[in-house]
């Protein structure tokens, strides 16, 4: 049964990748990705495949983890009975949330968003400040290859106190990257990790003037890297952030303005002003 669950998770990941690619590059040919999705669907038992597809038409999030803190379904937030949690941990059957019907799985160790200090601001700030911070701007990535760049940004999230376990975070992002590259034209990439427990959608931003081989469709080097962590409930909202960022940096003028920044302060200022009309 573990195998079926893994296939379901992989299927959902491919479907997310498909939506991401459609958002970031509407003209791209996606035949290969669509074929992989069809192959995976064929491997699943028929009843599970049809249930998956039915649910997926309603909402993109169909296979969700149980949140560790309070044993709730990460899809609908309703508590999962302890007996069911235990059965899922043994993963001998494919089991669903009794409230929303989503397939449930148990993740032993998920990186967690660090809880905010008591007394921290509760109201979300407007615009891009909802999703990032000056402390997460890196004007000169030290890395000179994709893997090290992803790990560097993941560690930045940890050292700046945003997410725990930066090393694991980096590995998870690279695993996602191996499904299909998140690099798009214009020298931008969006490596990311889903199913972070708690917190909100957050990104770190790194620049590499000389460029990195990130696997962009046309072989173009990547100079702007957004590393994004996505809590389960923000899965669909992530596509809106992605669309906003892609829209902002569609022009060479905007990309060059960012690439010219030599300090985190300047990067943050530039990012804030460039996104003021595209990200709310
Ligand atoms: Zn549920």
């Amino acid at each position: 049964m573990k195998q079926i669950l893994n296939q379901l998770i992989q299927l959902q990941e491919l479907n997310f990748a498909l939506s991401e690619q459609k958002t970031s590059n509407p003209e791209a040919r996606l035949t290969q990705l669509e074929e992989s999705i069809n192959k995976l669907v064929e491997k699943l038992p028929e009843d599970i495949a049809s249930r998956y597809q039915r649910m997926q038409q309603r909402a993109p999030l169909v296979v969700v983890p149980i949140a560790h803190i309070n044993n709730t379904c990460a899809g609908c937030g309703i508590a999962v009975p302890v007996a069911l949690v235990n059965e899922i941990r043994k993963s001998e059957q494919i089991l669903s949330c009794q409230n929303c019907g989503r397939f449930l799985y148990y993740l032993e160790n998920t990186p967690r968003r660090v809880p905010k200090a008591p007394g921290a601001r509760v109201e979300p700030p407007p615009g891009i400040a909802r999703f990032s911070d000056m402390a997460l701007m890196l004007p000169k990535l030290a890395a000179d290859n994709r893997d090290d760049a992803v790990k560097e940004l993941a560690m930045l999230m940890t050292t700046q106190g945003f997410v725990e376990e930066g090393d694991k975070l980096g590995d998870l992002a690279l695993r996602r990257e191996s499904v299909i590259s998140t690099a798009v034209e214009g020298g931008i990439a969006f490596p990311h990790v889903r199913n972070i427990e708690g917190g909100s959608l957050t990104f770190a931003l790194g620049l590499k003037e000389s460029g990195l081989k990130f696997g962009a469709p046309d072989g173009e080097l990547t100079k702007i890297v957004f590393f994004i962590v996505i809590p389960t409930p923000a899965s669909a909202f992530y596509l809106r952030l992605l669309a906003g960022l892609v829209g902002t940096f569609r022009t060479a003028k905007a990309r060059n303005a960012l690439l010219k920044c030599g300090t985190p302060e300047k990067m943050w200022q530039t990012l804030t002003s460039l996104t003021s009309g595209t990200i709310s």
Side-chain angles (χ1 to χ4, degrees), residues 23 89-90 100 105 118 130-131 143 147 187 207 221 237 248 259:
T23 304
R89 286 187 78 164
K90 285 188 276 171
C100 68
Y105 65 96
R130 278 168 69 195
F131 306 109
D147 291 15
L207 306 176
L221 294 179
F237 193 68
T248 305
L259 282 166

Side-chain angles (χ1 to χ4, degrees), residues 73 76 97 100:
C73 162
C76 69
C97 170
C100 68

Side-chain angles (χ1 to χ4, degrees), residues 170-206:
D171 289 343
L172 289 169
L174 288 172
R175 206 185 296 168
R176 163 60 188 85
E177 209 62 32
S178 69
V179 173
I180 184 168
S181 171
T182 60
V184 299
E185 61 183 281
I188 310 178
F190 299 93
H192 57 266
V193 181
R194 289 184 186 281
N195 293 329
I196 298 298
E197 210 171 271
S200 54
L201 201 55
T202 307
F203 71 82
L205 172 58

